[in-house]
Amino acid sequence: KLWRRSLFTGHGVTFPDMCFEDAAVAVPLLYFANKVAVVPYRGYYYTQREGSMIACHSVQNMDDYIKSVAMIRNFLEQQGVYGRYRRPVVLRGLAVMACNAFDLTAAHAKQKDYAGLARNLSASNAALHYYLGRFFTPADTKTPPPNVLAPVRGTQKEGNK
């Protein structure tokens, strides 16, 4: 993706310090863009390497995935257009819920931390239900919401693989 610098500077859009930051930033940038161009040329090829963000079942990555949904919802609410985009946001949230269920199961099963799995599945689902539900209250800040998941027992706090 290539973005015009003025989309960032003219609207105060910044990349948050988290994984999946591109998902949280793409919505505001597309919202503020006057036009979008799509070219049929593929300028790069995606390769997944071992230990990459996507290959790693990190609790922090999963937390950031949840945060990206919250940040998208928050932005759309602040613009007064969430109702128009509710369906794709909810579908994204459901995809995050499914991915987190798989990744949390893999991360906790590796350490045989089944109590932690139940706790984190519950926390992940509760956070996503809140961020997607009717009781959500938009925040005035552009910072990501707090973490909701606990580290997997038997792993280091950083990079829970």
Side-chain angles (χ1 to χ4, degrees):
K1 301 168 200 123
L2 296 175
W3 303 103
R4 189 176 297 274
R5 180 188 301 240
S6 61
L7 286 171
F8 290 93
T9 58
H11 301 285
V13 177
T14 59
F15 280 99
D17 186 21
M18 58 184 255
C19 295
F20 303 105
E21 74 285 349
D22 57 332
V25 169
V27 171
L29 294 176
L30 290 169
Y31 178 82
F32 291 127
N34 292 327
K35 59 181 155 177
V36 175
V38 179
V39 294
Y41 170 74
R42 293 181 184 171
Y44 66 92
Y45 294 94
Y46 178 81
T47 57
Q48 185 173 321
R49 60 183 168 70
E50 188 176 327
S52 72
M53 177 183 73
I54 299 300
C56 176
H57 301 292
S58 161
V59 169
Q60 185 60 54
N61 288 358
M62 291 175 252
D63 247 330
D64 288 348
Y65 208 10
I66 294 169
K67 290 176 192 179
S68 72
V69 172
M71 293 175 76
I72 291 167
R73 168 82 187 263
N74 195 52
F75 173 79
L76 293 172
E77 289 282 1
Q78 289 176 341
Q79 302 306 314
V81 296
Y82 176 69
R84 190 181 321 161
Y85 299 104
R86 181 181 178 280
R87 182 174 168 81
V89 173
V90 168
L91 290 174
R92 177 167 183 81
L94 292 173
V96 170
M97 196 177 290
C99 288
N100 276 2
F102 175 82
D103 288 344
L104 284 169
T105 301
H108 285 280
K110 186 175 180 181
Q111 297 297 326
K112 296 183 176 34
D113 180 16
Y114 302 109
L117 171 61
R119 181 184 61 247
N120 274 343
L121 283 174
S122 178
S124 173
N125 290 344
L128 286 163
H129 278 104
Y130 171 70
Y131 295 139
L132 299 172
R134 62 182 169 174
F135 298 113
F136 176 79
T137 304
D140 292 331
T141 179
K142 291 184 180 183
T143 59
N147 291 344
V148 296
L149 304 178
V152 177
R153 186 186 71 218
T155 62
Q156 295 177 343
K157 189 170 177 81
E158 297 292 322
N160 297 314
K161 294 183 182 179

